Amino acid sequence: MWPWGHLALGYLCYLPYEYRARGDASSWLALVALAVGTQFPDLVDKPLAWTFGVLPSGRSLAHSVLALVVVCGAVYLLCRHAERVVPSVAFGIGYASHLVGDSVGHVLAGEYEYLVFLVWPLLGAPPYGDEGGFLSHFANLRLTSFLAFQFALCAVAFGAFLVVQYRLGRAEH
């Protein structure tokens, strides 16, 4: 999944929490934490694998559920200490939605062997082969049904964001 798809999916996953648990609109701090959470696994794994060669794959260390638990636990403790728990929940929802977004294509295609990144390093790295780098990924960007789905997801998320902002504006008046 591309960064914009992760961001859209994370925002749409966050909205039910926001309205059910809190009953009001997101703070900007929570939205920033959500955005960082949706990108976090790629911000860690891609450079360490593709640029520095430290990790075996662009989906390994931070794409593991084990890392999700550790990182989200640390973020929660830091936020709780600062008496700002909601941003930690937003970060966790964004992070978890990233892993879901990277898994769904493999699940739908029946490519379960590629899901081993979810428990890295317990089962090793996925059999991706040469992943290239940032530029090669963008150079190979093609309009596929999954990419079109991500753009549609972005449109829905942006629409939802506008509705939330509109309701906030009306509530303030």
Side-chain angles (χ1 to χ4, degrees):
M1 189 171 257
W2 288 92
W4 52 83
H6 284 303
L7 184 61
L9 178 62
Y11 183 70
L12 292 172
C13 289
Y14 179 68
L15 283 178
Y17 161 76
E18 191 61 39
Y19 283 103
R20 236 174 71 173
R22 294 180 22 98
D24 62 4
S26 305
S27 70
W28 286 104
L29 181 60
L31 290 177
V32 168
L34 174 71
V36 171
T38 65
Q39 306 306 309
F40 184 79
D42 285 344
L43 292 173
V44 172
D45 287 353
K46 304 297 193 234
L48 290 177
W50 297 350
T51 304
F52 300 109
V54 177
L55 293 176
S57 170
R59 286 186 186 161
S60 50
L61 176 64
H63 282 76
S64 171
V65 174
L66 306 172
L68 167 85
V69 170
V70 171
V71 171
C72 288
V75 168
Y76 172 77
L77 291 175
L78 287 171
C79 287
R80 189 181 75 180
H81 179 71
E83 297 179 5
R84 298 276 212 164
V85 175
V86 173
S88 72
V89 174
F91 177 87
I93 290 171
Y95 194 151
S97 73
H98 184 107
L99 300 185
V100 170
D102 280 350
S103 301
V104 71
H106 295 305
V107 170
L108 293 175
E111 301 169 338
Y112 304 111
E113 67 273 14
Y114 289 98
L115 297 176
V116 295
F117 68 84
L118 292 170
V119 291
W120 189 87
L122 300 178
L123 295 179
Y128 291 126
D130 183 20
E131 294 178 275
F134 293 105
L135 294 179
S136 67
H137 274 74
F138 279 104
N140 292 322
L141 183 61
R142 303 286 180 261
L143 184 58
T144 62
S145 58
F146 191 57
L147 182 61
F149 169 74
Q150 291 177 65
F151 285 133
L153 204 60
C154 288
V156 170
F158 186 66
F161 178 79
L162 291 177
V163 167
V164 167
Q165 296 309 308
Y166 175 75
R167 287 186 177 171
L168 272 178
R170 296 205 26 110
E172 290 175 0
H173 289 98

